[in-house]
Amino acid sequence: MIEHTEPEPSRPLRSWIRTSPGTHIWLLIIAVTSLIVVIAPDRVEHVLLHRNSSNIHQLVQYPVRALVSSAFWIENPSSLALYAVLFEVFHATVERWLGTLRWLVIVATAHIVATLASQKVLSMAIQDHRAPHSMTHVVDIGVSYGIAASVGVLTYRLPGPWRWLYLAGAVAFFGAPLFTGGTFTDLGHAISLAVGLLAWPLTLHPHPRTASA
């Protein structure tokens, strides 16, 4: 487990990064892979995105690689700034609150469970001819499942009525697409949110430094 150091009031930015190292290492890797996508020729970009995808084909052929590598790429590099904001708001907050190990367990579990479950549903839809066979090679990469999990577990960080208002908003945001023709990705988001909410036992004893703050 990565050790969390005490905050440095005179250096708030450095303190924020040092107390949420996992979030910022992850974000740095995504920045690097996004840069690769930007500078790569179109044909190379196509190959990179598909080989690092967690679609049905890759999960069958290379399950471990697909699950791991898909967490470090985003399909549209222009979205990097948005993801950076979401990482700071949700991932960094949860990591500082619960510690790196528990945060990592939650987001990794959500990423794996949501990916496998949503791709299984997609596979069944293909077998029943409700989805085209080409969907076995669909690009399925990104970090949104982990973000949805952090959104879910952060519910338990909020006090009183704000918790229920926040929860209602999160459920509406991730749940509504399922009732309006949602995709397998929408299903994955809803599952990830549920994983975050089910991680309540991990929030009972927050990180000592945060608890004493």
Side-chain angles (χ1 to χ4, degrees), residues 125-164:
I126 293 172
Q127 292 173 5
D128 295 338
H129 305 289
R130 290 180 287 111
H133 188 268
S134 60
M135 292 292 287
T136 58
H137 295 274
V138 69
V139 173
D140 182 29
I141 58 174
V143 297
S144 55
Y145 291 165
I147 292 173
S150 282
V151 169
V153 74
L154 196 59
T155 300
Y156 305 111
R157 179 66 167 161
L158 301 177
W162 293 108
R163 172 180 298 178
W164 302 111

Side-chain angles (χ1 to χ4, degrees), residues 63-136:
V64 176
R65 190 193 74 182
L67 287 170
V68 174
S69 63
S70 62
F72 296 102
W73 297 76
I74 56 176
E75 188 171 1
N76 187 357
S78 65
S79 301
L80 180 60
L82 173 61
Y83 279 114
V85 172
L86 295 175
F87 266 54
E88 297 297 342
V89 172
F90 297 107
H91 281 322
T93 302
V94 173
E95 185 179 2
R96 295 184 77 246
W97 173 38
L98 299 179
T100 300
L101 180 58
R102 279 181 284 182
W103 162 78
L104 184 59
V105 167
I106 294 168
V107 297
T109 299
H111 176 73
I112 294 171
V113 172
T115 297
L116 294 179
S118 62
Q119 291 296 325
K120 178 62 177 178
V121 170
L122 177 60
S123 176
M124 293 171 62
I126 293 172
Q127 292 173 5
D128 295 338
H129 305 289
R130 290 180 287 111
H133 188 268
S134 60
M135 292 292 287
T136 58

Side-chain angles (χ1 to χ4, degrees), residues 5-16:
T5 57
E6 291 298 319
E8 302 173 76
S10 62
R11 298 178 177 178
L13 179 59
R14 179 179 177 182
S15 175
W16 179 261

